[in-house]
Amino acid sequence: MSVFTWKTLLAGTAAVGAAFVTSGEVRAQTTQPQQFAQVTSVSQLSDVQPTDWWFSALQSLVERYGCIAGYPDGTYRGNRALTRGEFAAGLNACLDRINELIAAGLADKVSREDLATVQRLQEEFAAELAALSGRVDALEAKTAELEANPLGLNAATSKLSFEVVTGIFAASEPDGATNNAIIPYRLRINFDASFTGEDRFRIRLEAAEAPTFDGDPVGFVFGTGSGAPSDDLNDDVNLDDVFYEFPLFNGRVNATFALTDVTPGDTFVFGVPFDALSDFVDLPDITYDGMGDTTLAFTWEVIEDLFFLSYGYGTDEASDSTFGSGFFAGPSVHAAEVAFVPTDNLLLAVAGSASAGGQADDENGEDFAAVSFGVTWEITPAAIFSAWYARQFSEEGDDFDEFLAGFAFPDLFIEGSNGGFAVGSPDTFIGVDGGDFPFLAEIYYTFPVTDNISITPGVYYITSVDGDDEDIIVGGVRTTFSF
């Protein structure tokens, strides 16, 4: 390939560059995007004649290197001027072809004179070739992003996720018979977005139908995920969570504003490591759950990684304009938590809550106050102990307490699994007349089938809460799909 050949290419191969770069000049001359096809013979180009002064050079490029493209109408348009960028695109195509020949062991087809010419052209057009490479890299990155986010969401700032929880469950009957097996479910669609990279805005849609069995006072944990009793859920699609959480004061404070179905306790520090079937083997409801709807809350890291202080205010009637209702005048709850992390594997917490105006946690609509104490201790990475005790005080003296204690075993047998067992007592009344002491025991094992599917077989046993019902055993297999 002589220097004359490359000069010819520079003068007449507008289509070469246009095949790889859509310049402003090309857009001006075409009314729709052009598709260019590699030609294998110069005779395929209808406007190239043997009498053209560039004919032999073009023929050499086509037949020896196969790096010439034509327009969709079969023309070459050799008299059209081209930019340095377009020429760099054509040069890049020929460079790729030469590299392919060398890699295929056909280096003898490329003369030393051609290689020397290519080297000089590479040096002269280094800036244009680098720019072309950058555009290709950006295009590949954009393509990868579109493949990963087919809905067009910005992967760096937003995410759309789905979760479906279902399974098959049955419960014992007092007469020794068995309840009909049921297949409850919960479907969630989460949209999470971030504006700064450190905040989160979430919208969640949820549909669920997960009724409790007769005589079961606790129900399934995925049946009460929306904050409503599980037997009140139906298969309607509801706007579940809408909240925005964001850092303040250089990240020392994490604040939350929620419009719906987020309680102050959802934003606090203490947590349990269990993945059980029953709703009871979770945080204590009277201090962490069922405490409002629209919420303002914050968690302050008073001493880094050591001492945390949280506060939350919630109400169920923020959108009610009736006199005596609204965000501040209606039924409301105040909740607070102090969490202490003396070591990396130990978390201690004290939480309290108080309602005014008949907040719904008390079935009689009475004001109440509650306190709870919790501990989570990672004995080893494979064994975690967690326990809590909670007590509620009401105006009428219908006080009760609850407790829970158990062990969780992460990565038990299978990486990513979570096995565990727990015992406790829900709703133990301690009024002047005394009360029953209900007892609950549960064992479960969650293991991953794939990255998106997990299965949880489990069973829990609970004695009668009020003394009028028989003991009940609920068991089954839960399956969770997340994607």
Side-chain angles (χ1 to χ4, degrees):
M1 188 186 306
S2 65
V3 175
F4 173 77
T5 300
W6 283 106
K7 289 182 177 178
T8 302
L9 178 64
L10 176 62
T13 56
V16 177
F20 298 91
V21 178
T22 305
S23 67
E25 185 177 358
V26 173
R27 291 193 189 97
Q29 295 186 17
T30 58
T31 58
Q32 60 184 7
Q34 300 290 323
Q35 301 294 324
F36 303 91
Q38 179 67 50
V39 297
T40 57
S41 173
V42 72
S43 62
Q44 294 176 250
L45 303 170
S46 61
D47 60 343
V48 175
Q49 305 298 326
T51 55
D52 294 327
W53 65 270
W54 62 79
F55 180 85
S56 60
L58 188 63
Q59 185 178 41
S60 177
L61 287 172
V62 171
E63 295 178 357
R64 293 184 58 192
Y65 294 100
C67 56
I68 296 298
Y71 283 92
D73 60 0
T75 61
Y76 180 63
R77 306 179 193 179
N79 289 318
R80 175 184 169 271
L82 79 165
T83 66
R84 286 179 63 87
E86 290 173 332
F87 177 76
L91 173 60
N92 188 67
C94 288
L95 288 173
D96 289 343
R97 178 56 181 159
I98 290 173
N99 287 332
E100 290 175 4
L101 292 172
I102 294 174
L106 302 175
D108 58 318
K109 291 185 175 294
V110 184
S111 68
R112 290 186 178 183
E113 181 186 10
D114 289 350
L115 291 176
T117 303
V118 167
Q119 184 176 358
R120 290 196 299 272
L121 287 170
Q122 280 185 290
E123 293 171 355
E124 182 180 350
F125 288 86
E128 288 83 356
L129 290 171
L132 179 64
S133 177
R135 293 181 64 177
V136 172
D137 291 343
L139 181 61
E140 290 178 348
K142 185 65 176 178
T143 301
E145 180 181 333
L146 290 173
E147 290 176 349
N149 300 276
L151 296 181
L153 299 176
N154 188 331
T157 60
S158 58
K159 179 181 179 181
L160 188 65
S161 60
F162 301 83
E163 182 189 69
V164 179
V165 183
T166 186
I168 184 166
F169 303 90
S172 63
E173 286 281 8
D175 58 5
T178 302
N179 272 298
N180 289 328
I182 64 170
I183 302 179
Y185 73 88
R186 184 187 68 198
L187 167 64
R188 283 178 171 175
I189 303 175
N190 295 322
F191 173 76
D192 293 304
S194 176
F195 306 104
T196 67
E198 298 180 349
D199 58 343
R200 179 172 64 148
F201 176 71
R202 163 168 286 186
I203 297 175
R204 170 184 286 169
L205 299 178
E206 178 178 283
E209 193 166 17
T212 58
F213 289 105
D214 290 340
D216 179 7
V218 293
F220 302 118
V221 66
F222 65 90
T224 55
S226 65
S230 59
D231 53 1
D232 289 344
L233 294 176
N234 53 54
D235 56 2
D236 294 335
V237 177
N238 301 298
L239 184 63
D240 190 50
D241 287 353
V242 179
F243 67 82
Y244 180 56
E245 57 182 9
F246 51 96
L248 297 171
F249 306 108
N250 295 321
R252 297 295 294 274
V253 174
N254 189 62
T256 301
F257 172 63
L259 292 177
T260 179
D261 285 321
V262 175
T263 70
D266 292 333
T267 69
F268 291 174
V269 175
F270 180 66
V272 295
F274 308 115
D275 189 27
L277 297 183
S278 74
D279 186 47
F280 182 72
V281 184
D282 199 356
L283 295 172
D285 289 348
I286 57 178
T287 51
Y288 285 88
D289 199 6
M291 303 182 306
D293 193 354
T294 302
T295 295
L296 286 174
F298 71 86
T299 293
W300 174 25
E301 189 176 8
V302 182
I303 302 176
E304 186 175 1
D305 296 328
L306 180 66
F307 185 70
F308 300 82
L309 178 63
S310 302
Y311 167 78
Y313 172 83
T315 177
D316 280 336
E317 300 184 2
S319 60
D320 190 343
S321 61
T322 306
F323 182 77
S325 299
F327 187 57
F328 293 108
S332 60
V333 65
H334 298 266
E337 179 195 64
V338 176
F340 182 51
V341 188
T343 66
D344 291 340
N345 58 355
L346 182 63
L347 169 62
L348 306 172
V350 178
S353 63
S355 75
Q359 182 64 16
D361 230 338
D362 190 310
E363 294 181 359
N364 297 320
E366 304 167 1
D367 293 343
F368 73 88
V371 63
S372 66
F373 306 88
V375 56
T376 295
W377 176 27
E378 184 182 293
I379 305 171
T380 71
I384 303 174
F385 171 77
S386 188
W388 53 258
Y389 167 81
R391 183 167 181 176
Q392 176 176 298
F393 309 90
S394 66
E395 291 180 319
E396 301 298 323
D398 295 327
D399 305 340
F400 68 87
D401 61 1
E402 301 179 316
F403 76 86
L404 176 75
F407 288 87
F409 303 100
D411 300 326
L412 181 64
F413 305 128
I414 302 174
E415 184 177 356
S417 64
N418 182 347
F421 67 88
V423 296
S425 177
D427 298 340
T428 303
F429 287 94
I430 51 177
V432 294
D433 296 330
D436 298 306
F437 184 84
F439 173 78
L440 178 142
E442 178 165 0
I443 186 170
Y444 70 90
Y445 180 66
T446 298
F447 62 93
V449 178
T450 70
D451 291 339
N452 305 101
I453 303 174
S454 65
I455 295 178
T456 306
V459 61
Y460 61 91
Y461 163 81
I462 184 169
T463 62
S464 173
V465 171
D466 57 17
D468 296 331
D469 298 323
E470 298 291 335
D471 302 347
I472 187 171
I473 300 174
V474 178
V477 178
R478 182 184 68 209
T479 303
T480 302
F481 303 88
S482 57
F483 50 96

